[in-house]
Each structure stands twice: as C-alpha cells, then as structure tokens.
Amino acid sequence: MYCLQNLPRSSVSPLLTGFGGNQRDLSSSSLKMLLPIKANDPKSRLVIQVVSDSKSSSEMSGVSKEEEKSDEYSQDMTQAMGAVLTYRHELGMNYNFIRPDLIVGSCLQTPEDVDKLRKIGVKTIFCLQQDPDLEYFGVDIRSIQAYAKTCSDIQHIRCEIRDFDAFDLRMRLPAVVSTLYKAVKRNGGVTYIHCTAGMGRAPAVALTYMFWVQGYKLMEAHKLLMSKRSCFPKLDAIRNATIDILTGLKKKTISLKLKDKGFSIVEISGLDIGWGQRIPLTLDKETRFWSLKRELPEGQFEYKYIIDGEWTHNELEPFTGPNKDGHTNNYAKVKCSG
C-alpha cells in the first residue's frame, strides 16, 4: 500500500510535470500563523503553519510522538507537493468555511469531533483518506463512523484518493464528485470535506465541486478557496479530469525498453501509479531487453527505473533536466489523436 514515508527521498517528485508539484492538506478555523521559511524557489513555495485552539486526546496522551510524526509527515508533504507545508496533527482538527455550506479541513481524530461538526451545521462528513493515512496517525476511523451512524442528523462518507498523487486525483475526481453531489443533494446543510491535513486532496475536491456543480469558473473558485484557506490544490489535475470527461478518457499504449546488463530485477515507479509503487518489467531472453507496455491517458508522465534496488534514469529515453531537488527522471509524452 502507498505510504510516502517509506520512499527513498531521491524518488519523490511530481507525478505529472504539468501538475507542478503535489497536492495536500492544510489549516484551520483558527489558523494563526504564516511563518516565512527559506526555499529554493520562493515564487513557487507556500509556507503554512497550522494552529488549533482545541486539543485532541492524542495530544494529551503522547505529544512528543505525535509531534515527531507531524514533522515527518510535513517533510514528506513539502517534498511531494512542491510547497513548504506544515501540519500539526497533535493540535487537533482544523478547518475553514469556504462557503456557508462548504468547509475544507483536516481529519477527524475522535468520535467527539463528529459532535463538533454537528454543532456548526455539518450534515455530510466527506472523508478522502486511505487506510495508510489513518494508520500513520493512529486514527480509529471505525469508531468515528460507528458514532456518526448513531446520529440521525449527519452522515459519514468515505471516497478514497491516494495521498500525494496528482494522477490518482485526476482519475478519481469524476466518481468522487458524483458521490459528493448526491450526498449534498440528499443531506443538505453544511458539507465538511477533509483529507489528512486539508491542504491537497480536500481543497482539490471542493474546488472541483464548485467548478463542476456550483457554477463557478475554475479560477474564480480557486481565488475564493485561497482567500479562505491556505492550501495547495492541484489545478492541472482538475483541468485534466475535466478534459477526460469531455473526451471520453481516451488512452494510448506506450512501450518502454531497457537493455539488459545482467540485471536481476528491473522495475518502474512513477507513470500513472505514483512514486510509492512499482511495476516490474519483463525480460525477453532472446533480445535481452526488459520491457513494459502501459496504457495511459493524454499527458506527460515522469518515471524512473529501479534496477536491482537502485533508482536511475535511462539516457536512451527522453529525460528531464534536474528538478529542484537535483533529480533527473525519464518521461513519456502521450498524445491521443482525434
């Protein structure tokens, strides 16, 4: 399963170069500090510090361990998304009203958080987290879901999107927004959309909902969102998902080959699966080439070979210049005709 903290640091880079970074979560109804941090590219970097007035039960039971996890998570989020982002899980749930009927925030941590949302009129809790996200911070989603079921005035819905993965966001947006639309129509009231920190997936889904369903122009919705909450939604993922709907998500098969030099195992990471997963290549014993065929939608996809555990790029295939972290990746540009 996908878990970015297990990745070698050298492997982390944007999934699609057009996505320009990565997505993820942020801040709170009580966002209090924006602290400048030096970055390699100040123009493309965003600094976010999350502070909440309320304390979670996890904070009371083990602050140092929670702080350590928050630090690791923030580092991974910053490297994956191309923005300097800080999330403090130990400070509890945080959120912002984007519209009177729409909230974007961080994850619920205890069943008591359900009651906090009920008090501000939330009728739908829309969770985008996957199991590894929950396990990382020790969130018991089942107890939260079970408690929500006992409440007649609120519904908990889960639509998973892989963390730090712009392509997975692109692929899942149509189904996720469809589920969200039906829930809002059914439940009314205020909708609470959250991922882990509320900086990437949740604002991206909220932005897409405003664009596709509520009639906003994309950049108008983005301006409103950013005026309410500091976050980093993947605009190109939303644009590409919109194009996919309009074009019927056409795909094209690409072929990747690497000359064998006595390798034992050759894999690829990136492409459409994200940097946290790998696809094995097949060795043709007659031609002595390792190969992979993959069907991809239109776009530019970065990838890297993993040869006997070592991450590298193939200089006989198109490759990028060193990115801001000094890494060079191969890329495949897919153009679907007609």
Side-chain angles (χ1 to χ4, degrees), residues 2-4 7 11-16 22 162-169 268-279 294 296 301-304 306 311:
Y2 181 71
C3 190
L4 189 59
L7 276 175
S11 69
V12 182
S13 74
L15 179 63
L16 297 184
N22 248 318
R162 188 183 300 142
D163 205 359
F164 307 120
D165 193 332
F167 186 80
D168 194 63
L169 174 66
I268 277 183
S269 185
L271 287 179
D272 59 327
I273 61 168
W275 296 104
Q277 299 186 67
R278 304 178 182 188
I279 307 173
R294 192 78 176 171
L296 299 172
F301 302 83
E302 292 188 16
Y303 61 93
K304 207 148 192 168
I306 308 167
W311 293 71

Side-chain angles (χ1 to χ4, degrees), residues 49-66:
Q49 177 75 30
V50 177
V51 177
S52 172
D53 288 331
S54 62
K55 293 185 179 181
S56 68
S57 59
S58 60
E59 180 187 11
M60 301 301 293
S61 62
V63 173
S64 61
K65 186 175 291 185
E66 288 294 326

Side-chain angles (χ1 to χ4, degrees), residues 23 25 104-105 107 125-131 133-134 141 156-163 168-169 172-173 176-177 180 192-196 198 200-206:
Q23 86 194 69
D25 337 9
V104 172
C107 64
I125 300 170
F126 203 72
C127 172
L128 303 171
Q129 292 177 290
Q130 293 191 315
D131 287 344
D133 309 329
L134 300 162
I141 188 71
H156 187 287
I157 297 174
R158 209 173 155 199
C159 278
E160 300 177 29
I161 298 175
R162 188 183 300 142
D163 205 359
D168 194 63
L169 174 66
R172 298 193 190 213
L173 270 176
V176 168
V177 173
L180 175 62
Y192 185 84
I193 304 176
H194 78 86
C195 41
T196 299
R201 289 170 290 180
V205 169

